[in-house]
Amino acid sequence: SLLSLQAEEARSKDPYEVLLDARGRLQSMMQLYELLNAQASFESVSIRDFLSALTRELTSMFTGSAEVRFLVRVEDFKLGVDRLATLGLIVNEIVTNSLKYAFYETKEPLVSITVTKSDGRITVRCEDNGCGMPVDEARDESHGLGSMLIEMLAGQLRASLRVESDGGTRYTLEFDERAGEP
């Protein structure tokens, strides 16, 4: 499904850029499956291990990202594989957008990922200190496949999604730990 959506986007974009985006989306899922294969249980995975591995992989994919500092503060708890795969794709989109667009005039670029859990509610905040973007543009489906995916995937998690853009761009997702599970 992701590759079909990507193919539609390829009609109006540079093919190299489209393939790089597809690679990042597939990399997110590959990180999850590697963690699953390394452990005995296939039902849940440490969210800290997964997001740490994902950010390392994203950093290695983008030239110039070596100058970007990552601050990953993630409480260590397990999350079901389906929900973690969805969350990984969301984080991949947000971080990829930051690495591609946010830092062209930023002297000390920073991407921060924070995940907390309290009373069964999970809060995920991904932010950068880049140039920011108009909030309407961040939530506009016509802006690109990445923005559309973030909206759709947040809906799958039954998450509230807040986008702020002042002194950088911040995405905050909040969802119940078990919402949408069978």
Side-chain angles (χ1 to χ4, degrees), residues 6-175:
Q6 198 82 44
E8 286 298 315
E9 188 179 40
R11 294 175 195 224
S12 63
K13 282 184 125 180
D14 174 24
Y16 177 78
E17 186 95 8
V18 171
L19 288 173
L20 190 61
D21 288 348
R23 177 183 169 203
R25 291 175 181 122
L26 293 172
Q27 194 66 38
S28 173
M29 290 182 279
M30 191 176 89
Q31 286 298 323
L32 180 58
Y33 290 115
E34 283 180 10
L35 287 171
L36 281 171
N37 285 328
Q39 65 180 25
S41 169
F42 294 116
E43 294 177 13
S44 62
V45 172
S46 163
I47 192 168
R48 178 186 290 163
D49 291 349
F50 175 63
L51 291 179
S52 295
L54 180 61
T55 55
R56 278 192 305 274
E57 189 61 36
L58 286 169
T59 304
S60 71
M61 285 175 37
F62 287 93
T63 58
S65 66
E67 299 114 28
V68 178
R69 196 178 68 158
F70 279 85
L71 181 58
V72 181
R73 296 176 301 218
V74 179
E75 288 184 22
D76 197 13
F77 59 91
K78 291 191 176 214
L79 193 61
V81 172
D82 289 341
R83 297 173 66 66
L84 197 54
T86 303
L87 181 60
L89 287 169
I90 292 169
V91 171
N92 175 74
E93 292 303 321
I94 295 168
V95 172
T96 296
N97 284 341
S98 292
L99 293 174
K100 285 169 59 175
Y101 305 117
F103 300 125
Y104 62 91
E105 290 183 353
T106 305
K107 291 182 182 181
E108 294 180 20
L110 172 69
V111 172
S112 174
I113 301 169
T114 306
V115 180
T116 58
K117 183 174 100 169
S118 178
D119 298 325
R121 285 277 301 149
I122 297 171
T123 303
V124 179
R125 176 180 267 186
C126 298
E127 57 189 310
D128 65 55
N129 67 342
C131 60
M133 67 177 164
V135 174
D136 291 341
E137 188 173 302
R139 308 266 329 235
D140 180 5
E141 289 183 10
S142 67
H143 182 61
L145 179 58
S147 296
M148 183 176 72
L149 279 174
I150 292 168
E151 287 278 335
M152 288 174 30
L153 294 168
Q156 286 181 14
L157 288 176
R158 295 187 181 153
S160 66
L161 175 63
R162 189 171 62 247
V163 182
E164 302 166 282
S165 188
D166 56 1
T169 302
R170 279 175 302 291
Y171 287 81
T172 304
L173 289 105
E174 293 181 299
F175 58 96

